[in-house]
Amino acid sequence: MMKKRIPGKLPSLLAASALIFSSLAQAADAIKVGVLHSLSGTMAISETTLKDTVLMLVDEQNKKGGLLGKKLEAVVVDPASNWPLFAEKARELIEKDKVDVVFGCWTSVSRKSVLPVFEELNGLLFYPVQYEGEESSRNVFYTGAAPNQQAIPAVDYFMNELGVERWVLAGTDYVYPRTTNKILEAYLKSKGVKDEDIMINYTPFGHSDWQSIVSSINKFGSAGKKTGVVSTINGDANVPFYKELGNQGISAEDIPVVAFSVGEEELSGIDTKPLVGHLAAWNYFMSVDSPENDAFISQWHKFIGDQKRVTNDPMEAHVIGFNMWVKAVEKAGSTDVDKVEQAMIGMSVPNMTGGIAVMNKNHHLSKPVLIGEIQDDGQFEVVWSTDGTVPGDAWSDYLPGSKDLISDWTAPIQCGNYNTITKKCSGQNY
């Protein structure tokens, strides 16, 4: 027996099917932006804000009409400060979610974890944080500082301006602090600093009991020579470290600390009064007075809905990287990784300090170097800066295995570690 059709049911089903098809078509037609930052675990204190920054940039670009006539869609994952999980999430973003680009990572161990995935699958990563150098991949753009744009100028400032003669190199126990300190130790010795005037200490991620270590630093600094601490301590371990400095009455006049991973975001959760005078070396501070920075801060506060939220250096690096990527996609007329990678080289956009950021042949930016002094409101007062921008150097001049290497991703070299003596590309291209 033939069933009677229920009036209105078929048109409704057809309409629903059309709506689903339309939604799927729109999703397939979107340009997908992967966001690979820890939203939980020890690095969430630093990385959550970077996730929000990328969401703000995607939102702003969509308000401008999107890119290549398509809307941008952010795909957010949480690798949870778990280094192997970073690789899994990167693979998921590229293979499953089909993202066109990824903005992410903070620690070098997370970047090292995902690097083989991006190279295997030909993905594109924008990495926004200062790092140890000794790397240049065709699939990564390094928008944070290389050692010659942060660590070396900070040591020069301590040596030349503050008269520091004894050195504490304190870091979290992973690749970035260890490699950076290897470079700094070689640099200090090239300046005549003796072994007995260098103290090196490493602590695990999330380290919280700093009493004995800070006591040792205090003792090391009581030998009659001006002593300074160069800190590559990362993540939430910075909070108890700085608190313990205050507890033991170590002021910036006694033993100054210059940090490479402490910015406005990390200071926003602690009482900074005991830390006044300690320093940080970055390429951007929220306190910089420029029209570009004023606009950036205003945009951030409007998006996040909180006038008290701070900005910081890795946020600026994401803004620069994102704006360059947009221009490179427009120039290439495509999100194809190979085309965008070549279009990125030589790309320039304004930075937030009133200058111009340029992407060099080695996939590193030209950036200004700033040294800021912590104020009691958690902001930094710039006490020293370079006259202009400094090109990032992928390979250190102070390590024997690196001083003859350059990175150049343009023809005819197209190599991340080209040996200028042998005229050959050494091993893998990073």
Side-chain angles (χ1 to χ4, degrees):
M1 184 173 69
M2 187 179 293
K3 291 184 179 179
K4 291 178 69 177
R5 181 172 67 85
I6 300 172
K9 187 173 183 180
L10 185 58
S12 298
L13 287 171
L14 289 172
S17 298
L19 186 61
I20 292 169
F21 179 80
S22 175
S23 298
L24 289 172
Q26 284 180 355
D29 206 35
I31 293 175
K32 293 187 177 182
V33 177
V35 185
L36 185 65
H37 282 302
S38 295
L39 310 181
S40 56
T42 188
M43 292 308 301
I45 185 177
S46 300
E47 293 194 67
T48 301
T49 292
L50 296 188
K51 177 266 295 182
D52 292 333
T53 303
V54 180
L55 294 182
M56 175 185 74
L57 293 167
V58 167
D59 180 68
E60 189 68 22
Q61 189 63 34
N62 281 334
K63 287 177 180 175
K64 295 176 182 176
L67 186 58
L68 302 182
K70 302 177 182 180
K71 288 290 185 183
L72 301 186
E73 177 189 334
V75 183
V76 179
V77 294
D78 178 16
S81 306
N82 179 323
W83 318 132
L85 189 58
F86 265 88
E88 291 180 35
K89 292 295 184 181
R91 186 173 293 277
E92 179 184 307
L93 284 171
I94 299 170
E95 286 191 324
K96 175 176 168 285
D97 297 309
K98 308 293 184 186
V99 299
D100 297 282
V101 66
V102 176
F103 292 83
C105 299
W106 180 292
T107 66
S108 284
V109 68
S110 66
R111 189 193 70 257
K112 293 286 189 186
S113 176
V114 306
L115 184 57
V117 177
F118 278 89
E119 297 200 323
E120 175 198 342
L121 303 177
N122 197 28
L124 190 61
L125 173 68
F126 281 77
Y127 177 65
V129 186
Q130 87 293 336
Y131 85 121
E132 71 282 358
E134 308 307 293
E135 178 182 302
S136 178
S137 170
R138 191 185 72 86
N139 296 85
V140 181
F141 284 98
Y142 306 82
T143 55
N148 72 305
Q149 297 171 307
Q150 185 186 40
I152 297 296
V155 165
D156 284 341
Y157 180 82
F158 259 36
M159 191 178 288
N160 300 328
E161 302 297 327
L162 302 185
V164 170
E165 297 178 284
R166 297 201 97 195
W167 302 83
V168 178
L169 308 182
T172 302
D173 193 5
Y174 74 106
V175 61
Y176 162 61
R178 283 191 174 273
T179 307
T180 299
N181 287 340
K182 187 178 178 183
I183 293 168
L184 290 181
E185 187 178 10
Y187 182 68
L188 288 170
K189 288 180 179 179
S190 77
K191 296 290 186 178
V193 178
K194 294 182 168 47
D195 283 336
E196 59 265 29
D197 288 327
I198 302 174
M199 170 184 168
I200 302 176
N201 179 267
Y202 295 105
T203 47
F205 278 100
H207 188 70
S208 59
D209 184 6
W210 288 93
Q211 189 172 350
S212 61
I213 296 170
V214 171
S215 180
S216 297
I217 291 171
N218 205 4
K219 184 178 179 182
F220 184 78
S222 63
K225 292 181 178 179
K226 181 69 174 178
T227 300
V229 177
V230 178
S231 171
T232 47
I233 298 165
N234 257 264
D236 55 10
N238 276 294
V239 176
F241 169 64
Y242 278 99
K243 281 185 177 177
E244 188 57 36
L245 287 176
N247 291 343
Q248 296 195 27
I250 299 176
S251 70
E253 288 76 21
D254 302 324
I255 302 177
V257 177
V258 61
F260 302 157
S261 296
V262 173
E264 294 84 349
E265 185 71 13
E266 288 75 19
L267 292 178
S268 64
I270 61 176
D271 177 14
T272 56
K273 289 183 176 61
L275 311 183
V276 170
H278 288 300
L279 303 155
W282 290 102
N283 311 108
Y284 163 89
F285 289 112
M286 185 177 182
S287 59
V288 169
D289 184 15
S290 73
E292 294 84 0
N293 193 31
D294 289 345
F296 171 45
I297 294 168
S298 176
Q299 180 187 4
W300 171 242
H301 285 163
K302 183 179 179 182
F303 176 81
I304 209 70
D306 184 352
Q307 294 292 314
K308 294 181 180 179
R309 287 288 296 274
V310 295
T311 58
N312 63 27
D313 180 286
M315 290 173 68
E316 188 219 25
H318 260 343
V319 172
I320 289 170
F322 186 90
N323 289 340
M324 282 187 169
W325 172 75
V326 166
K327 288 182 69 174
V329 168
E330 290 173 339
K331 180 180 177 182
S334 168
T335 57
D336 177 81
V337 168
D338 295 334
K339 294 177 181 177
V340 172
E341 183 269 328
Q342 283 297 295
M344 277 288 299
I345 295 171
M347 192 63 68
S348 63
V349 299
N351 61 31
M352 301 300 122
T353 56
I356 298 295
V358 179
M359 183 58 70
N360 299 304
K361 294 177 182 179
N362 61 4
H363 284 198
H364 290 65
L365 287 176
S366 291
K367 301 167 75 76
V369 186
L370 313 175
I371 294 178
E373 188 177 278
I374 298 174
Q375 305 297 295
D376 60 10
D377 62 355
Q379 289 291 319
F380 291 86
E381 179 184 349
V382 177
V383 294
W384 180 88
S385 65
T386 50
D387 290 334
T389 58
V390 177
D393 190 354
W395 300 97
S396 174
D397 296 334
Y398 304 102
L399 296 180
S402 301
K403 62 185 179 66
D404 297 326
L405 300 180
I406 63 167
S407 166
D408 185 341
W409 289 107
T410 61
I413 293 177
Q414 291 189 317
C415 172
N417 53 8
Y418 181 77
N419 191 306
T420 56
I421 305 300
T422 65
K423 308 295 184 185
K424 291 181 180 178
C425 197
S426 307
Q428 297 185 72
N429 287 345
Y430 61 88

